[in-house]
């Protein structure tokens, strides 16, 4: 009886894990067809007879991104939008370039876990656990170090070296999404009511308006 209950519990847990990721492919490939009028959870498949090698190719990840912006970083993403052959495979990647003291601001990926490898420089990383603990787990990574950010949790990276830094990230979704906290909260369209944000952040409403004006 105990073994049967254990087997059922394992089956339920396995089903839960399966449902928590991108759909598994049921054929060799399903190259995304962005022009399809069919609405699905993902992207409809291109006619297999029209598929070419270029559908599985992305060029340009060797090019450094422009970090001359307010945060001093640039993310070059390779998702299903840039590489149609990724469709249904549940993976994507990104190149992240950092100017000295540049940051990849606190953000989340609602549909993916992220694993990051440092290629150049020293990068401080961290993520915050969910409510109510809100525990910060942080580490300074050097070349060759790898760090993982759990799906949906707020995380960040910062270049703590004296030169440009570079990291490569892989994500467990063809379309992981990204919610940059500051942009979402202070740069929403239309603006979130200042009274709400003033109470949430426990500051004067004029400070909220000042921050919103920057987004």
């Amino acid at each position: 009886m105990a073994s049967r209950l254990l087997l059922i519990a394992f089956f339920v847990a396995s089903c839960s894990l399966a449902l928590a990721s991108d759909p598994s492919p049921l054929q060799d490939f399903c190259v995304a067809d962005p022009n399809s009028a069919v609405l699905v959870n993902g992207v409809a498949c291109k006619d297999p007879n029209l598929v070419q090698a270029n559908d599985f190719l992305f060029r340009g990840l060797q090019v450094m991104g422009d970090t001359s912006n307010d945060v001093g970083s640039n993310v070059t993403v390779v998702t299903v939008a840039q590489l149609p052959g990724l469709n249904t495979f549940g993976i994507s990647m990104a190149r992240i370039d950092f100017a000295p003291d540049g940051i990849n601001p606190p953000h989340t990926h609602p549909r993916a876990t992220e694993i990051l490898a440092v290629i150049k420089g020293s990068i401080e990383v961290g993520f915050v656990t969910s409510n109510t603990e809100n525990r910060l787990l942080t580490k300074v990574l050097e070349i060759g170090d790898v760090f993982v950010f759990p799906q949906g949790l707020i995380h960040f990276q910062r270049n703590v070296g004296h030169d440009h830094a570079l990291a490569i990230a892989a994500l467990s979704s063809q379309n992981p999404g990204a919610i940059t906290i500051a942009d979402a909260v202070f740069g929403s369209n239309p603006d979130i009511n200042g009274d709400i944000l003033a109470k949430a952040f426990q500051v004067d409403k004029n400070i909220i308006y000042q921050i919103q004006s920057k987004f």
Side-chain angles (χ1 to χ4, degrees):
M1 181 65 178
S3 60
R4 285 187 63 187
L5 290 175
L6 185 62
L7 183 62
I8 293 171
F10 177 76
F11 177 75
V12 171
S14 300
C15 290
S16 298
L17 288 172
L19 292 172
S21 61
D22 284 354
S24 297
L26 299 175
Q27 60 278 320
D28 287 347
F29 50 77
C30 172
V31 173
D33 180 5
N35 299 316
S36 173
V38 178
L39 300 178
V40 296
N41 183 23
V43 186
C45 299
K46 184 177 182 179
D47 183 340
N49 294 319
L50 301 178
V51 169
Q52 301 177 355
N54 281 341
D55 291 320
F56 301 92
L57 173 68
F58 175 88
R59 284 197 169 109
L61 211 61
Q62 83 284 3
V63 178
M64 179 178 176
D66 182 8
T67 59
S68 59
N69 51 55
D70 290 339
V71 296
S73 71
N74 187 287
V75 181
T76 304
V77 298
V78 186
T79 68
V80 69
Q82 292 77 33
L83 182 54
L86 284 180
N87 197 36
T88 75
F89 289 162
I91 57 171
S92 58
M93 65 185 303
R95 170 184 175 134
I96 312 171
D97 290 286
F98 299 86
D101 205 35
I103 66 167
N104 190 12
H107 61 283
T108 72
H109 301 294
R111 294 179 289 276
T113 294
E114 175 183 348
I115 187 167
L116 178 139
V118 177
I119 306 301
K120 177 184 178 183
S122 300
I123 300 175
E124 178 187 5
V125 302
F127 66 86
V128 180
T129 63
S130 55
N131 295 351
T132 57
E133 186 182 31
N134 294 324
R135 182 184 174 199
L136 172 63
L137 299 174
T138 183
K139 195 77 175 175
V140 173
L141 307 183
E142 306 295 342
I143 294 174
D145 288 347
V146 174
F147 197 85
V148 65
F149 305 100
Q151 179 174 338
L153 296 188
I154 295 173
H155 59 282
F156 61 87
Q157 298 104 30
R158 178 169 71 106
N159 181 5
V160 293
H162 301 293
D163 200 354
H164 281 78
L166 169 64
I168 296 292
L171 301 107
S172 62
S173 172
Q174 67 182 43
N175 183 24
I179 303 172
T180 304
I181 307 306
D183 290 352
V185 173
F186 297 107
S188 64
N189 184 21
D191 287 342
I192 298 176
N193 187 292
D195 290 327
I196 294 173
L197 295 183
K199 181 169 288 189
F201 287 94
Q202 297 293 292
V203 297
D204 185 88
K205 191 160 55 175
N206 289 325
I207 294 177
I208 298 297
Y209 295 149
Q210 182 181 1
I211 298 174
Q212 286 178 326
S213 70
K214 298 179 182 297
F215 292 89

